[in-house]
Amino acid sequence: MRALPAVKDWGMNEMQDNERFDWIQGAIKVPYKHNSKLVTSICRELVVSAADMSRRKVLELFYDVVSPYSWLGFEVLLRYKNIWNVDISLRPGFLGGLVSASGNSAPALVPNKGAYMFQDLERMAEFYQVPLRLPSDFFNVVIKKGSLSAMRFVTAVDMSHPEFLEEVSRQLWLRIWSEDKDITEPESILQAAKKAGVPEDLAKKLMTTITSPEIKNKLKETTDKALTYGAFGMPTIVAHINQKPQLFFGSDRYEILAHQLGEKWLGPVPPKSHL
């Protein structure tokens, strides 16, 4: 039988089950016109599959490697990817652009918030079992240098070789938030890519693209998408439940997220975690 187009291309999300059945039957009954029972059986199976996909719960994680809370949220969410019945989409964005566009300000620039954040990160790192340690020169590393080059590289990876996206992101977090190393210089980014398993020639090729309009526009597009959802900082999780987006800010809303998903929250390090 000729391969059917992907379900997402069928325009079936808005169809009722009987409409899906009629559509699929019309698509496949010609090659199987002499076996009506087989046609009916195939149709029923595909209708169930299409309906399940249209109701699938999707979690979008908007993050930036300059954000330590994004790292905490990233690791916890990925520990649940084989436990919760959800699809996870990683959305690398630019925190500096999002904060500016939303009218927000970096918490570290507010003295009391900054002091609280440093204490909170130590507690969270221990509780979440993530090897996070503050950089020796926080203001210079996080506020002054930022992450624009790093996030453009992560975007290039996402666009061309998404199979490396998770580990490249993690290695950049490890550099800045565990090893107290730079993530702004090309060689620093290439070192993170190497540890992530990206072939050297590929990493260098991706590095040459980070100033291209295509990469810049994609990073801005992702950041703008987060803003459209109502985001004002990172990490931001947008949960698509029954085709409706719900926004969760921060790395400490997982119990509420689980409740909304109809899933069980088993703590930041669930027993069945594969990480």
Side-chain angles (χ1 to χ4, degrees):
M1 182 178 67
R2 177 176 57 85
L4 293 175
V7 170
K8 67 179 181 179
D9 298 326
W10 293 355
M12 296 177 69
N13 284 1
E14 294 77 23
M15 293 183 185
Q16 299 299 317
D17 284 355
N18 63 323
E19 294 175 316
R20 291 189 178 101
F21 187 95
D22 292 342
W23 191 97
I24 295 171
Q25 186 179 50
I28 68 174
K29 72 178 181 180
V30 174
Y32 290 108
K33 61 184 177 181
H34 300 300
N35 193 336
S36 60
K37 289 184 179 180
L38 179 59
V39 170
T40 300
S41 177
I42 293 174
C43 286
R44 285 174 177 167
E45 289 185 12
L46 289 176
V47 164
V48 171
S49 175
D52 286 345
M53 290 187 71
S54 70
R55 291 189 289 265
R56 185 77 173 172
K57 297 167 186 173
V58 177
L59 303 180
E60 294 184 274
L61 174 65
F62 293 88
Y63 68 93
D64 186 325
V65 297
V66 80
S67 161
Y69 288 104
S70 286
W71 187 17
L72 297 171
F74 171 93
E75 296 294 2
V76 172
L77 187 59
L78 291 180
R79 290 168 186 167
Y80 277 85
K81 67 181 179 181
N82 295 321
I83 298 175
W84 289 349
N85 184 31
V86 296
D87 292 327
I88 297 173
S89 296
L90 299 178
R91 305 292 190 217
F94 181 47
L95 179 58
L98 179 62
V99 167
S100 177
S102 64
N104 199 359
S105 61
L109 297 179
V110 180
N112 282 357
K113 281 187 178 180
Y116 172 80
M117 184 181 75
F118 296 153
Q119 295 176 359
D120 187 53
L121 283 172
E122 291 183 6
R123 294 189 297 246
M124 294 279 282
E126 179 184 7
F127 184 55
Y128 280 37
Q129 295 185 27
V130 174
L132 188 155
R133 288 182 288 275
L134 294 174
S136 56
D137 188 354
F138 178 91
F139 184 85
N140 185 53
V141 170
V142 177
I143 305 299
K144 188 175 179 180
K145 287 187 174 182
S147 61
L148 184 56
S149 294
M151 293 315 297
R152 284 177 178 171
F153 183 80
V154 174
T155 299
V157 170
D158 186 28
M159 292 180 69
S160 301
H161 291 273
E163 67 273 19
F164 294 115
L165 177 60
E166 178 181 329
E167 195 56 33
V168 166
S169 300
R170 181 177 288 115
Q171 290 301 325
L172 285 167
W173 268 308
L174 281 166
R175 283 188 68 85
I176 185 174
W177 288 108
S178 189
E179 300 167 359
D180 199 9
K181 295 179 180 178
D182 173 72
I183 62 162
T184 61
E185 297 298 326
E187 185 56 37
S188 301
I189 297 171
L190 290 175
Q191 284 296 318
K194 182 179 180 179
K195 285 192 174 183
V198 182
E200 184 178 358
D201 57 340
L202 174 59
K204 289 181 177 179
K205 181 180 178 181
L206 292 172
M207 182 61 69
T208 65
T209 70
I210 68 171
T211 57
S212 69
E214 182 182 16
I215 299 301
K216 290 181 178 180
N217 290 339
K218 178 60 178 177
L219 181 59
K220 185 178 186 302
E221 177 186 312
T222 302
T223 305
D224 288 345
K225 184 178 181 182
L227 187 66
T228 299
Y229 282 130
F232 50 88
M234 292 178 181
T236 288
I237 295 174
V238 177
H240 298 267
I241 304 171
N242 296 324
Q243 302 181 49
K244 295 180 180 179
Q246 295 188 36
L247 187 145
F248 298 84
F249 171 69
S251 56
D252 57 355
R253 294 292 182 268
Y254 284 108
E255 191 169 3
I256 300 171
L257 174 60
H259 176 73
Q260 293 297 315
L261 292 170
E263 300 283 354
K264 290 184 178 180
W265 169 243
L266 304 173
V269 188
K272 295 181 181 180
S273 172
H274 292 275
L275 292 181

